[in-house]
Amino acid sequence: MKIEQPGSTIEGPPSPAVETATTLAVDRRTLPTAVAERLREMIIEGQLPAGTRLNERALCDQLQVSRTPLREAFRLLAADGLVQIQPNKGAQVIALSERDIRESFEVMGALEALSGDLACMHITDQEIAEIKALTFEMQACHARRDLPAYYHVNREIHDRINAAGKNQLLSQVYTTINLRLQNLRFRSNLNHDKWDKAMLEHVDMVNALAARDGARLASIMRLHLQRKGEAVLESLKPASSNSP
């Protein structure tokens, strides 16, 4: 049974995440990994934009941690390619060039397509059922215009399709490149129309997966990433260049 496609008449731009002291606080028992994860979320959701210098004192106060676990978290993020650490200058969120973005989305599109093709060969009925359930959950987040929650489920779906391909090398390469693109993939949904289109594409994905149609799913996922890359590059253009 196919999943019903959502309507495209929901009004208003996605609302920014509302942060509270509770959500910003980090569990000290899991430092510094938890600090790195919280910073990763802040980078993905644009609270720490590309090129931002990371103010240690401010982040220590915000996350309620000392500088030692914070600096270790910076090193973890640097290993992921999200942060650059410069001697005597501190840490800075990496900003990809236009060429880096274009090439990364091209490669990511190919990896997503291969993941989809392999997933259709190896996925179990239980895995399909779980991805269907996640897609319903993502539709609910989309209807509420809750972009952070939507994107969290979105990442889970893509990761599960990749894992269903049962190819460890593919998963390693996929994860390495995908880490650099999370903020850009998140930003591609800030455009109301493009977010609606992405949701429809996810409905097509799960239906192709359920049918175990590898060629169709690969095509959908490649186009999905191509459109995301185009949306990101378009958002980087000066406003004047988009005027008639």
Side-chain angles (χ1 to χ4, degrees), residues 40-148:
R40 188 178 289 110
E41 291 175 1
M42 294 169 72
I43 291 171
I44 290 172
E45 295 176 13
Q47 298 168 49
L48 296 172
T52 299
R53 289 204 173 277
L54 300 177
N55 185 309
E56 290 187 4
R57 178 178 297 177
L59 287 171
C60 285
D61 290 343
Q62 191 175 22
L63 301 178
Q64 301 174 28
V65 295
S66 66
R67 291 197 177 191
T68 298
L70 181 68
R71 288 174 177 173
E72 180 59 29
F74 288 168
R75 285 191 283 271
L76 293 173
L77 294 176
D80 289 342
L82 296 179
V83 165
Q84 180 180 23
I85 301 175
Q86 298 175 311
N88 304 318
K89 292 185 178 180
Q92 180 177 9
V93 180
I94 285 179
L96 299 179
S97 68
E98 182 176 324
R99 178 176 177 176
D100 289 336
I101 293 170
R102 180 178 293 105
E103 291 181 350
S104 295
F105 272 100
E106 287 174 351
V107 172
M108 201 67 218
L111 295 175
E112 292 273 18
L114 180 56
S115 294
D117 194 17
L118 290 175
C120 287
M121 296 180 191
H122 302 295
I123 198 165
T124 66
D125 290 342
Q126 179 62 32
E127 288 171 327
I128 291 175
E130 291 170 355
I131 292 173
K132 279 186 174 182
L134 287 169
T135 302
F136 281 122
E137 183 179 344
M138 189 166 67
Q139 286 179 296
C141 295
H142 174 264
R144 295 194 304 269
R145 284 310 193 207
D146 185 346
L147 181 52

Side-chain angles (χ1 to χ4, degrees), residues 155-206:
R155 289 177 62 188
E156 180 74 13
I157 289 171
H158 281 275
D159 287 347
R160 285 186 181 231
I161 292 175
N162 176 265
K166 310 296 191 294
N167 186 306
Q168 289 188 343
L169 179 58
L170 171 62
S171 294
Q172 290 171 4
V173 177
Y174 173 95
T175 299
T176 298
I177 297 178
N178 200 32
L179 281 171
R180 303 196 324 160
L181 294 179
Q182 290 301 319
N183 169 257
L184 298 176
R185 293 180 74 154
F186 182 93
R187 283 178 53 188
S188 70
N189 296 310
L190 294 175
N191 179 290
H192 173 89
D193 293 333
K194 288 180 172 57
W195 187 9
D196 290 343
K197 182 64 177 176
M199 184 67 252
L200 294 175
E201 288 167 354
H202 264 275
V203 173
D204 289 340
M205 282 181 207
V206 74

Side-chain angles (χ1 to χ4, degrees), residues 201 204-205 208 215-225:
E201 288 167 354
D204 289 340
M205 282 181 207
R216 181 182 167 209
L217 181 55
S219 177
I220 293 168
M221 296 187 80
R222 187 186 297 274
L223 181 60
H224 184 69
L225 267 291

